[in-house]
Amino acid sequence: MLGNLKDKGSLIKTALSTNSHKSSVRSVILRATTHGSSSPPSEHQIAAIVSIGLESHAGACCCIQALMDRLNSTSDAFVALKCLYTIHNIIGKGSFGSTDQLSPYKCFHNSLMFRDHWDQEAWQMSEWVRWYAAILEQNLAVPKVLGYHLYSIKKDKILSSLNSDLLKEIAFLVGVACQVGNRPDSLHLQRNSLVYEVVRLVGEEYRLVQREMGSRVAELGARMTSLSLSECTEFLNSLNRFEDCKERICSLLVNRNTNADLWDLVRESKAKLVAMIKDEENVGKLTLVVKLQRGRSRVR
């Protein structure tokens, strides 16, 4: 009841605003992220919010500002999660202008430290808010690291990338996967429709992460003979980290998007890297022995 009263008060305050456009945008945001309901925003509400950013640059600015104000001012875990879910949809479906407006807010400080002390469920839901905020923060960093968003495909860029760049990109993608695997332990809350939708959306995006990982692992695998010992070690460490988070990701996504081909590729690549590293180390030891023997012969 308290949450509903807050929403009604906010809507009345918004309606009294002298800026009709800003008032209209804020009303749409408030109705999509209501208190008192554990259901996610409807498809119709998400579409309405996304369309605001598609209309104009001013609309995108106003929409993101209203969303971030709502997110950073709430102490309700359900409202916070709805805001993050809406932002995630804007990243995937919205205009470049809307996503660009999110960049200054990429460090979701309040959400990363979010705590709702109302009851046990709210406390557990807070863990999902913090987890989701960290995922979205990494999501916004994707274009800066890869040069394009996950929803785009740039195979030509991968083919022309340097080995060092591909290694950095793989390490970043592994970090994204590890954050997905760093999910809250309260998996029973997936019975909640809002958490279920959040996990579903994260799962769809994780499939894109797997696609990008697969392309880069395959490309570096084809270039493996050109990798230095340090590059081979860096590559192997990333693949080991990726495998380490597999079990927790599978428990979250209930074995959806497992991509058996990718894991086969990872295992094959690891086996080749281990063999190459051993060969390089053996060659290094042999070279050292030869140098020592030559040094002793000169002393004699």
Side-chain angles (χ1 to χ4, degrees):
M1 288 178 63
L2 180 61
N4 289 332
L5 286 173
K6 285 182 179 179
D7 289 339
K8 288 180 180 179
S10 297
L11 285 168
I12 292 172
K13 182 180 178 181
T14 299
L16 295 174
S17 172
T18 56
N19 189 323
S20 59
H21 182 260
K22 184 178 289 187
S23 173
S24 174
V25 171
R26 288 187 178 276
S27 294
V28 173
I29 298 297
L30 285 169
R31 289 191 173 91
T33 60
T34 55
H35 289 81
S37 170
S38 60
S39 299
S42 67
E43 291 184 13
H44 174 74
Q45 289 171 325
I46 292 294
I49 293 171
V50 169
S51 67
I52 295 171
L54 295 173
E55 291 171 0
S56 65
H57 180 71
C61 293
C62 187
C63 180
I64 298 304
Q65 183 66 56
L67 254 177
M68 297 308 299
D69 287 347
R70 178 70 159 164
L71 174 62
N72 291 325
S73 64
T74 189
S75 58
D76 185 287
F78 287 99
V79 173
L81 205 59
K82 289 177 187 180
C83 288
L84 294 172
Y85 177 76
T86 303
I87 290 170
H88 201 173
N89 275 277
I90 289 175
I91 294 172
K93 304 174 184 176
S95 65
F96 172 78
S98 295
T99 306
D100 189 52
Q101 288 300 312
L102 281 166
S103 296
Y105 303 102
K106 65 180 180 179
C107 295
F108 298 103
H109 295 296
N110 290 356
S111 302
L112 291 170
M113 299 181 290
F114 190 89
R115 297 286 191 283
D116 185 342
H117 301 276
W118 183 256
D119 57 21
Q120 182 63 28
E121 184 182 17
W123 180 258
Q124 291 179 333
M125 193 65 69
S126 298
E127 295 181 330
W128 290 93
V129 172
R130 297 192 296 272
W131 170 77
Y132 200 20
I135 286 178
L136 293 185
E137 189 176 51
Q138 287 183 318
N139 188 308
L140 291 175
V142 167
K144 291 185 178 180
V145 179
L146 302 188
Y148 57 92
H149 201 275
L150 284 173
Y151 296 91
S152 305
I153 300 177
K154 301 285 184 181
K155 289 185 178 180
D156 292 342
K157 177 187 179 299
I158 296 173
L159 295 174
S160 59
S161 294
L162 298 173
N163 292 346
S164 57
D165 291 335
L166 289 176
L167 287 168
K168 289 177 183 176
E169 290 167 5
I170 285 175
F172 172 77
L173 290 167
V174 169
V176 174
C178 287
Q179 179 54 43
V180 174
N182 192 29
R183 78 308 186 270
D185 292 326
S186 52
L187 292 178
H188 64 279
L189 285 180
Q190 288 192 68
R191 293 194 295 269
N192 174 279
S193 58
L194 176 57
V195 176
Y196 178 86
E197 279 301 308
V198 164
V199 172
R200 182 191 63 78
L201 202 56
V202 169
E204 288 181 0
E205 199 157 89
Y206 173 65
R207 177 174 53 82
L208 302 180
V209 171
Q210 288 182 317
R211 180 195 70 191
E212 297 299 328
M213 272 291 295
S215 298
R216 284 162 176 77
V217 171
E219 180 61 24
L220 270 185
R223 305 182 191 180
M224 206 171 286
T225 54
S226 68
L227 298 180
S228 66
L229 179 59
S230 61
E231 288 175 331
C232 285
T233 303
E234 184 180 350
F235 190 14
L236 181 60
N237 289 340
S238 289
L239 295 182
N240 282 331
R241 285 183 62 216
F242 189 43
E243 275 198 329
D244 288 343
C245 66
K246 178 183 177 183
E247 185 175 343
R248 286 184 65 84
I249 293 175
C250 287
S251 65
L252 172 71
L253 303 180
V254 196
N255 291 321
R256 290 176 293 179
N257 304 324
T258 52
N259 197 338
D261 291 341
L262 172 60
W263 294 112
D264 288 341
L265 177 62
V266 167
R267 282 192 292 272
E268 291 171 4
S269 299
K270 281 181 59 178
K272 291 178 181 177
L273 284 167
V274 169
M276 285 184 63
I277 290 171
K278 284 183 177 179
D279 288 344
E280 286 291 331
E281 289 175 345
N282 289 335
V283 169
K285 290 177 181 178
L286 180 60
T287 302
L288 179 61
V289 170
V290 171
K291 286 182 179 179
L292 288 173
Q293 288 177 341
R294 286 177 179 174
R296 288 171 184 170
S297 63
R298 286 173 184 173
V299 171
R300 292 174 183 173

